[in-house]
């Protein structure tokens, strides 16, 4: 760091609030504070403002149907097609030559799709899907790396009304099989592989292992040839087809977009919950698309002429909402990058921003912490002056990381939006609006216009400013999940049971996050209050990891908790009891790590595996996870008097600290 940097950081360290620069406000999409009142006074009709961003085949007559709470319906009797909205209408509006997708492969090779190109490819793949037998409402699974064929396949599904279920490519074969089984999905789109830090990875092998564990017949799989000569030479079976050959047979084909009811499912996205079974979050065509378009416009400030980059993977909700649907609905240019931020060098992201003159950049705090660790020379060696706005999502951002991002990436001239939301909410819920709100590093900001969120205690009463409580949402919103796939009961149990009052018919959504509120209504999100970990901004259920560990030969019992981690935010700590006759040795440790990688994926890999004779349990037999967390974090231990086996605590502690 130079002396100037040191001086700058010293100055900013004390500063607790930042106003958006005038240069940003002058051009922002939303600049009038009255929007908050407009939405709350005119709720739920205010949401036509979001729906108006879309082109409807037939207009809806009611904004919100709440006759069967909490199964809300939005714009329910309207019809539209999501692919038409994200592609065709921009072509029809005279923007066929505007770039829709800028893709950069890890090797630096690039592909550019104009809206016309995207129109052509989406049609051709829609025709391909039809030829393979895909019908409206069939769930098509995608297990693909970050290549343009992924959004093309998603939009082709949307075009013919087949919901997609995208499984993150980093997830394991087992995770793929579980999701295909749960959704009864008979179609899979995948790829032979992709590049990571220069190496070609064999993805098809994993896909094949997943397919072997699908319980029903899989009608067809389509495999993109990403690796060419670097491929692994797998033979395709009779029901497995090469993407390019299929597409060649459909050159020039056009498929009319089907009219979908606003409430028809657009996609399923599986996410982790408290139990071992992932939850199939159902999102709809009208409400979800309206909500992502509206938040992309009001929060990310996107405009059609922008080049916008969200560095997430499309395999997560962030990529669905803010790489694909929101930006494309608005006719923006969206950037996609295949690889990692540190390949070939640690300046790769800044290089991409400079090269494409990115206007708006959206990333995760875990990435920012890595950039800070790597040092300022990497961003400093690039011209980042094209940037107008920065965003973060996925976990709380600490004020130091916020200020680093603000100074070294935004050069004090870009506002930052710290956006709180979830897979289930479809889009952003708590954040400042960049053209209006004062930013307070560490605090996400107020609930967005039309979002009625409060922070309450266990009894459901509002907490005082400065006190920690539970985040709740008291009114529905268009982007909300509609249910958990084929499991209405679990939907109610997971999200509505806790704070709703059946007597007064008051329905309150509980996202399972802790939070605090300031005098001015700004919310600071404290993190999950259920047994869900946030590892590098990815949500992982402790139960899922535990069941992967217990499946390993020689393991009798396991408890998984999150421990603090500088880069990852949280890291997985696994406390394991071996079966009689098995040694607590390196071999078993390795099998456990492999068990987790095979069961879930490398992202869930335990940071530490701690063998123990017993787990600390209460007299009623419940594992005291709080203690295991304190041990993982090297914190002072809280009350242990309710334990049945307090003596085990010192033993475990000694093992973790290495004493
Ligand atoms: C959980 C949702 C939303 C897309 C990425 C993750 C945490 C998310 C923030 C934020 C503090 C955040 C919450 C939430 N989270 N954004 N800005 N500040 N925490 O989606 O996998 O569904 O995880 O991520 O704990 O519940 P997800």
């Amino acid at each position: 760091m130079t002396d100037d940097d040191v001086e700058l950081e010293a100055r900013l360290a004390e500063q607790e609030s930042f106003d958006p620069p005038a240069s940003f406000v002058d051009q922002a999409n939303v600049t009038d504070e009255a929007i908050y009142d407009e939405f709350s006074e005119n709720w739920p009709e205010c949401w036509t403002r979001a729906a108006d961003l879309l082109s409807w085949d037939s207009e809806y007559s009611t904004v919100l149907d709440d006759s069967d709470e909490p199964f809300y319906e939005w714009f329910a009797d309207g019809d539209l097609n999501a692919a038409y909205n994200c592609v065709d209408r921009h072509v029809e509006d005279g923007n066929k030559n505007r770039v829709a997708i800028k893709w950069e492969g890890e090797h630096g090779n690039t592909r550019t799709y104009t809206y016309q190109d995207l129109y052509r490819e989406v049609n051709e793949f829609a025709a391909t899907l039809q030829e393979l037998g895909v019908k409206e409402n069939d769930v098509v699974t995608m297990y693909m790396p970050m290549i343009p064929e992924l959004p093309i396949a998603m939009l082709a599904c949307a075009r013919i009304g087949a919901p997609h279920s995208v499984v993150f490519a980093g997830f394991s074969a087992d995770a793929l099989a579980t999701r295909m089984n749960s959704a009864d999905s008979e179609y899979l789109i995948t790829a032979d592989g992709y590049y990571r830090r220069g190496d070609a990875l064999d993805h098809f092998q994993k896909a094949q292992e997943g397919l072997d564990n699908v319980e029903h017949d899989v009608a067809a799989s389509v495999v993109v040839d990403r690796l060419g000569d670097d491929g692994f030479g797998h033979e395709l079976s009779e029901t497995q087809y090469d993407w390019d050959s299929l597409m060649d047979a459909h050159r020039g084909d056009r498929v009319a977009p089907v009219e979908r009811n606003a409430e028809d499912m657009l996609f399923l996205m599986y996410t982790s919950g408290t139990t071992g079974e992932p939850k199939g979050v159902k999102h709809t065509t009208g409400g979800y698309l309206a909500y992502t378009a509206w938040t992309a416009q009001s929060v990310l400030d996107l405009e059609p002429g922008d080049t916008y980059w969200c560095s997430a993977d499309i395999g997560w909700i962030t990529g669905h909402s803010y790489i694909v649907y929101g930006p494309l609905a608005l006719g923006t240019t969206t950037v996609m990058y295949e690889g990692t931020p540190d390949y070939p060098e640690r300046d790769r992201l800044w290089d991409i921003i400079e090269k494409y003159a990115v206007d708006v950049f959206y990333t995760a705090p875990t990435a920012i912490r890595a950039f800070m660790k790597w040092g300022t020379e990497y961003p400093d060696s690039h011209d980042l002056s094209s940037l107008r706005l920065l965003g973060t999502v996925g976990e709380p951002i600490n004020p130091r990381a916020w200020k680093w991002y603000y100074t070294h990436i935004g050069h004090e001239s870009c506002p930052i939006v710290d956006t709180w939301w979830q897979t289930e909410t479809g889009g952003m819920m708590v954040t400042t609006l960049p053209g209006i709100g004062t930013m307070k590093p560490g605090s996400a900001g107020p609930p967005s216009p039309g979002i009625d969120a409060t922070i309450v205690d266990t009894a459901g009463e509002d907490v005082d400013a400065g006190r920690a409580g539970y985040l709740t949402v008291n009114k529905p919103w268009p982007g909300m999940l509609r249910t958990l796939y084929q499991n209405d009961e679990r939907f109610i149990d997971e999200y509505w049971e806790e704070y709703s009052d059946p007597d007064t018919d008051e329905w309150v959504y509980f996202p399972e996050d802790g939070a605090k509120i300031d005098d001015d209504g700004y919310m600071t999100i404290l993190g999950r209050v259920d047994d869900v970990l946030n590892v590098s901004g990815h949500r992982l259920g402790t139960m899922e990891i535990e069941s992967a560990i217990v499946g390993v030969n020689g393991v009798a019992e396991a408890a998984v908790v999150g421990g603090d981690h500088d880069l990852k935010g949280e890291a997985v700590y696994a406390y394991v009891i071996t079966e009689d006759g098995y040694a607590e040795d390196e071999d078993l440790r390795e099998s456990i790590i492999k068990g987790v990688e095979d069961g879930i994926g490398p992202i869930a890999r335990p940071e530490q595996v701690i063998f123990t004779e017993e787990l600390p349990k209460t007299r009623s037999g419940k594992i005291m996870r709080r203690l295991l967390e304190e041990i993982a974090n090297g914190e002072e231990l809280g009350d242990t008097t309710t334990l049945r086996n307090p003596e085990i605590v010192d033993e475990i502690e000694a093992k973790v600290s290495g004493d």
Side-chain angles (χ1 to χ4, degrees), residues 271 317-318 393-396 418-424 511 513 525 527-528 534 537 539:
T271 188
I317 192 72
T318 310
V393 60
E395 47 177 327
D418 171 359
T419 60
W420 175 86
W421 57 293
Q422 315 178 291
T423 304
E424 292 87 342
D513 269 310
I525 313 297
R528 304 284 308 190
N534 190 330
R539 182 163 154 186

Side-chain angles (χ1 to χ4, degrees), residues 126-345:
T128 301
L129 290 171
Q130 286 182 333
E131 181 207 327
L132 295 174
V134 179
K135 305 255 169 348
E136 195 171 346
N137 298 320
D138 287 346
V139 176
V140 177
T141 302
M142 284 155 211
Y143 186 47
M144 296 169 86
M146 284 289 283
I147 52 177
E149 286 83 352
L150 174 52
I152 289 168
M154 291 162 74
L155 292 164
C157 280
R159 192 167 196 86
I160 63 172
H164 52 73
S165 165
V166 179
V167 179
F168 173 56
F171 275 142
S172 67
D174 285 357
L176 170 66
T178 310
R179 285 157 180 75
M180 286 186 78
N181 286 330
S182 161
D184 287 321
S185 175
E186 294 179 14
Y187 298 91
L188 175 69
I189 322 295
T190 185
D192 62 342
Y194 53 102
Y195 294 97
R196 263 302 168 280
R197 298 203 169 84
D199 295 330
L201 297 193
D202 187 349
H203 189 61
F204 184 80
Q205 176 68 33
K206 270 201 315 183
Q208 184 62 59
E209 281 166 27
L211 285 171
D212 291 343
N213 288 314
V214 174
E215 286 151 7
H216 50 271
D217 284 341
V218 174
S221 312
V222 181
V223 185
V224 177
D225 176 1
R226 161 72 187 116
L227 298 177
D229 292 343
D230 293 338
F232 294 85
H234 295 292
E235 298 276 327
L236 298 184
S237 75
E238 262 169 36
T239 55
Q240 296 173 337
Y241 305 89
D242 169 56
W243 171 289
D244 290 328
S245 317
L246 291 173
M247 288 288 266
D248 281 344
H250 290 282
R251 287 290 165 227
D253 284 5
R254 297 291 177 264
V255 176
V258 301
E259 285 187 16
R260 295 282 280 171
N261 182 268
E263 281 296 309
D264 283 341
M265 173 159 54
L266 179 61
F267 66 87
L268 273 178
M269 166 114 257
Y270 283 87
T271 188
S272 296
T274 310
T275 72
E277 277 287 293
K279 309 188 272 197
V281 169
K282 174 181 162 183
H283 281 295
T284 57
T285 311
Y288 171 82
L289 197 63
Y291 196 70
T292 51
W294 161 247
T295 45
Q297 185 183 70
S298 59
V299 182
L300 293 175
D301 198 48
L302 294 189
E303 291 178 41
D306 282 337
T307 300
Y308 155 75
W309 185 20
C310 164
S311 69
D313 191 292
I314 293 176
W316 306 97
I317 192 72
T318 310
H320 278 53
S321 301
Y322 299 113
I323 297 177
V324 183
Y325 287 110
L328 294 179
L330 296 178
T332 306
T333 299
T334 185
V335 176
M336 267 180 88
Y337 170 53
E338 178 187 38
T340 55
D342 55 353
Y343 186 84
E345 291 297 334

Side-chain angles (χ1 to χ4, degrees), residues 604-618:
R605 187 190 162 92
E607 187 76 14
Q608 270 203 45
V609 175
I610 302 116
F611 291 115
T612 175
E613 302 268 291
E614 282 174 43
L615 292 166
K617 286 190 179 164
T618 60

Side-chain angles (χ1 to χ4, degrees), residues 479-497:
M480 68 196 302
L481 80 164
R482 296 304 190 267
T483 191
L484 293 176
Y485 190 55
Q486 292 178 339
N487 205 341
D488 290 347
E489 206 178 310
R490 188 169 177 202
F491 169 66
I492 294 186
D493 279 1
E494 294 263 358
Y495 305 106
W496 303 95
E497 202 83 280

